[in-house]
Amino acid sequence: MSKARGIFQLYQKLLTNRPYLVQAIQAGTLMGAGDVISQTCIEYKSFENFDFKRTIKFSSIGFFVGGPALRAWYGLLNKHVGVGGKTVAIKKVFVDQAIFAPGFLFFILIAVGTMQGKSWESIKTDIDANYLDVLKTNYYIWPWVQLANFYYIPLQYQVLIVQSVALFWNTYLSWKTNHKSLLE
């Protein structure tokens, strides 16, 4: 148990000293893991057919965009909406889901299409086909996760909690943004 405690203490120290870097690594790793799960457990790709470039690209979105954006966003929510309490948590969920989620999901769909090397016309077609479904699915899952996250979890751990739940969300996003290419 001592090793686990030591690892957690190291994590806390790194998180305090380099919050954006740690949360970027978390997000990138978990987005990559979501893509691996999508390719192996949903798309049933064998090792020979596994698309490693796709995983690296999907992971890089988490590393360069997802983690840093979430950390900055949660900091802004704490600063402008408040830190604790039921009312603050509800306000944060509302602001998060009304402002951040629609724009962030739109950007993620653009980023995935861009990383896939698609033309702008193809990206727009994918957004037309997928955006509302992804946003609707987001509203089934994330308000409840965020309510618990904002009410119970300290700021420095909120991205970790979200990214842990997002392992399943990232699997869905990876499948959703790649399943059409499976049919072609």
Side-chain angles (χ1 to χ4, degrees):
M1 205 53 152
S2 168
K3 279 190 176 189
R5 184 176 302 148
I7 291 170
F8 185 68
Q9 288 173 340
L10 175 62
Y11 170 77
Q12 286 181 307
K13 182 178 178 182
L14 289 171
L15 190 58
T16 299
N17 294 334
R18 302 269 192 250
Y20 284 92
L21 177 62
V22 169
Q23 292 173 345
I25 292 168
Q26 284 172 185
T29 301
L30 290 167
M31 282 192 78
D35 184 68
V36 168
I37 292 168
S38 177
Q39 288 192 58
T40 58
C41 298
I42 297 172
E43 300 167 36
Y44 302 110
K45 288 187 176 184
S46 66
F47 183 78
E48 296 82 31
N49 295 324
F50 191 87
D51 188 347
F52 291 98
K53 285 183 182 178
R54 173 180 137 183
T55 299
I56 291 169
K57 290 175 183 178
F58 202 69
S59 181
S60 69
I61 294 169
F63 183 80
F64 292 108
V65 179
L70 287 170
R71 177 59 179 94
W73 176 245
Y74 292 163
L76 285 170
L77 285 175
N78 268 17
K79 182 178 179 181
H80 296 289
V81 179
V83 176
K86 290 178 186 177
T87 303
V88 168
I90 291 168
K91 286 178 185 178
K92 283 181 174 181
V93 170
F94 177 77
V95 173
D96 182 65
Q97 294 299 303
I99 296 172
F100 186 78
F104 187 69
L105 290 172
F106 185 77
F107 181 80
I108 291 293
L109 292 176
I110 291 171
V112 168
T114 301
M115 294 296 257
Q116 292 171 337
K118 293 182 177 180
S119 69
W120 179 242
E121 288 303 316
S122 181
I123 292 170
K124 287 193 314 189
T125 300
D126 287 351
I127 289 170
D128 288 344
N130 293 322
Y131 178 72
L132 289 178
D133 190 42
V134 168
L135 186 61
K136 185 170 90 174
T137 303
N138 166 83
Y139 289 140
Y140 285 124
I141 299 166
W142 288 108
W144 308 108
V145 171
Q146 291 293 48
L147 186 61
N149 194 32
F150 293 140
Y151 186 66
Y152 294 109
I153 307 299
L155 174 64
Q156 68 267 27
Y157 302 118
Q158 288 177 356
V159 174
L160 176 61
I161 296 301
V162 165
Q163 287 300 326
S164 297
V165 174
L167 178 60
F168 303 102
W169 178 251
N170 294 335
T171 301
Y172 164 74
L173 282 180
S174 177
W175 170 80
K176 187 71 174 167
T177 58
N178 287 285
H179 77 282
K180 284 189 178 183
S181 62
L182 300 172
L183 303 173
E184 295 170 353

